[in-house]
Amino acid sequence: MSTSQIPSSASSPLPQDACAAPRRPSVGVQVGKVTVGGGAPIVVQSMTNTDTEDPASTAKQIAELARAGSELVRITVNTPAAAAAVPRIAERLAMMGVEVPIIGDFHYNGHQLLQDEPACAEALAKYRINPGNVGFGKKKDSQFGAIIEKAIQYGKPVRIGANWGSLDQAMVATLMDENHTRARPWDAAHVAREALIRSALDSAVLAEKIGLPRERIILSCKVSGVQELIAVYRDLAARCDYALHLGLTEAGMGSKGITASSSALGVLLQLGIGDTIRISLTPEPGAPRTGEVIVAQELLQTMGLRSFTPLVTACPGCGRTTSEFFQELAKTVQEHVREQMPVWRVKYDGVENLTLAVMGCVVNGPGESKHANIGISLPGNGEAPAAPVFIDGEKAMTLRGDNIAHEFVGILDDYVARKYASRAG
């Protein structure tokens, strides 16, 4: 069976055998200064799409991703020139004051690149290798072993990341042979899931035999179908205590990619599965790469798993609301919070837990505003032209006129400065 024969999630409901036992606590892995697993908060990561051979553009994008909140950033290391550029990228980041750990993504020739460029091997915080293409035939184990030995030499953790777009065909063939002997053979999708899981687990066992400690191993088994991802990780989590990286591979663009990734990862995170996540979005033309970081943060925050930035509650608008003004205010507040967070995060303790409400009429406006730290209830159609502002559940003032947005943002800034303890103080 080739990867092209794996059934699509469009026609595959959640398999019955996906209902695996609850997950055991994962082993913690140190990646630079970031802890993955072991009870640590779930880590957000991302990946550059620049040419790694260009240190300037790659360092710039890494810095943008880190400032957006990515706690780990992966880069492609695919050529000798790319490997040689890694230490220069690290130097540029140090000059910019960016300390985010950098992960090297290796396929096919990673063993050779790490051997030939020791400065690259040293500069990276973690290596990512794919057991489906680390090597083929008799060379597979030796090339895999060479990368693991470099990780041991330089004290680096490794993510062993299986992907159903590059399944180990020898593993698939072995499992198909085994399947033929079963009294009740598995379907093709089950065999494919088992191939992914076995590829990752067998590789992890081999890495430990070579000498890589368990606390330096992270596993992932990525697929592009929502139900398949849930099934794979429920099974994987029940069979090991390695730290797990979650991500729906090739999720897609825009709302499709966001919806698919959030659906799959949301289920798994709710089950306690996953120690670090990436939202693999295809950016819109001209859009910043940072969009995937924001989606990952918002997924974790809306699920109550972590707090990254103040949340803005806003109603969708209806026939009661003065739609254009209401929408503009909600957008202004959201953008202001995003712009200020890099400064607020450094200066104010706990500001990420701030809650805001921008409501459009009297139906739910005052009630939602009272539940937030700061809320504003705009006048709807037919209501008096006044916008009451609530602070910590109490009506504090009423705004009127054409300058409501500017005044409300000023109130927000003043509240943050007064409410949250300054780290400088």
Side-chain angles (χ1 to χ4, degrees):
M1 179 186 65
S2 69
T3 55
S4 63
Q5 295 173 301
I6 298 173
S8 165
S9 62
S11 59
S12 301
L14 184 63
Q16 292 297 315
D17 62 357
C19 299
R23 187 188 182 192
R24 292 167 281 174
S26 63
V27 175
V29 178
Q30 201 66 30
V31 184
K33 296 181 179 180
V34 176
T35 302
V36 176
I42 297 164
V43 174
V44 172
Q45 63 179 277
S46 58
M47 185 174 184
T48 60
N49 60 359
T50 56
D51 184 349
T52 309
E53 294 183 13
D54 182 349
S57 64
T58 301
K60 180 176 181 290
Q61 190 174 82
I62 291 171
E64 291 169 352
L65 291 165
R67 287 168 184 149
S70 184
E71 295 157 302
L72 301 173
V73 178
R74 182 158 47 112
I75 64 174
T76 296
V77 186
N78 58 335
T79 66
V86 169
R88 302 205 300 274
I89 292 168
E91 290 170 2
R92 285 176 176 270
L93 291 171
M95 292 175 63
M96 289 187 280
V98 177
E99 298 182 349
V100 65
I102 306 304
I103 303 162
D105 194 52
F106 295 99
H107 298 274
Y108 306 107
N109 59 352
H111 63 292
Q112 194 65 54
L113 297 177
L114 289 169
Q115 174 65 40
D116 295 345
E117 295 290 342
C120 167
E122 178 64 38
L124 293 169
K126 186 177 78 171
Y127 309 154
R128 186 265 176 160
I129 53 179
N130 184 339
N133 58 33
V134 70
F136 303 98
K138 296 180 180 178
K139 294 182 178 180
K140 178 183 176 181
D141 286 352
S142 64
Q143 292 179 184
F144 176 86
I147 297 177
I148 298 302
E149 286 170 357
K150 287 299 176 185
I152 295 169
Q153 178 183 348
Y154 291 100
K156 308 297 182 180
V158 173
R159 171 157 73 94
I160 298 171
N163 190 302
W164 78 351
S166 50
L167 269 176
D168 180 347
Q169 293 301 308
M171 173 71 72
V172 172
T174 298
L175 289 176
M176 288 295 287
D177 290 341
E178 291 179 7
N179 197 42
H180 287 314
T181 67
R182 297 180 188 277
R184 298 178 62 183
W186 295 342
D187 61 26
H190 192 159
V191 175
R193 293 196 303 273
E194 181 65 15
L196 273 175
I197 293 167
R198 287 266 292 273
S199 180
L201 290 177
D202 289 358
S203 297
V205 169
L206 177 57
E208 287 196 64
K209 286 182 178 178
I210 294 170
L212 187 66
R214 196 174 191 80
E215 61 271 16
R216 282 202 228 144
I217 298 173
I218 298 174
L219 299 186
S220 66
C221 289
K222 290 190 175 183
V223 301
S224 57
V226 170
Q227 299 291 8
E228 286 84 356
L229 192 81
I230 295 169
V232 165
Y233 273 93
R234 291 190 70 164
D235 196 354
L236 176 63
R239 292 162 64 173
C240 74
D241 62 358
Y242 294 108
L244 300 182
H245 167 75
L246 299 187
L248 189 75
T249 191
E250 288 89 39
M253 181 180 287
S255 60
K256 185 271 178 184
I258 294 171
T259 302
S261 290
S262 299
S263 298
L265 271 59
V267 170
L268 292 168
L269 293 169
Q270 188 67 21
L271 294 171
I273 297 171
D275 302 293
T276 177
I277 67 171
R278 182 194 173 202
I279 305 294
S280 300
L281 296 180
T282 304
E284 299 282 353
R289 188 70 164 178
T290 52
E292 66 178 52
V293 178
I294 293 171
V295 173
Q297 289 181 328
E298 290 180 346
L299 173 61
L300 294 175
Q301 187 154 350
T302 55
M303 291 186 69
L305 297 172
R306 287 191 66 181
S307 293
F308 296 95
T309 188
L311 284 179
V312 180
T313 297
C315 71
C318 66
R320 289 177 175 270
T321 59
T322 51
S323 298
E324 187 172 338
F325 180 70
F326 163 67
Q327 293 164 357
E328 288 176 354
L329 178 59
K331 181 180 179 183
T332 296
V333 173
Q334 184 73 68
E335 290 179 347
H336 181 75
V337 168
R338 282 282 174 195
E339 290 170 0
Q340 292 300 311
M341 254 330 269
V343 176
W344 286 353
R345 188 181 293 114
V346 173
K347 193 173 182 181
Y348 300 114
D349 285 310
V351 69
E352 65 276 5
N353 297 307
L354 173 69
T355 57
L356 304 167
V358 179
M359 304 301 295
C361 76
V362 73
V363 174
N364 293 318
E368 285 284 0
S369 296
K370 289 177 182 178
H371 288 305
N373 294 123
I374 306 176
I376 185 169
S377 180
L378 294 174
N381 291 330
E383 296 176 22
V389 175
F390 297 82
I391 298 179
D392 290 330
E394 301 293 333
K395 183 178 176 180
M397 63 200 72
T398 300
L399 302 182
R400 294 180 173 85
D402 299 327
N403 205 29
I404 288 178
H406 178 74
E407 292 177 15
F408 185 69
V409 167
I411 293 167
L412 168 59
D413 288 342
D414 180 66
Y415 180 91
V416 169
R418 288 186 295 103
K419 179 76 173 180
Y420 297 94
S422 173
R423 290 178 178 167

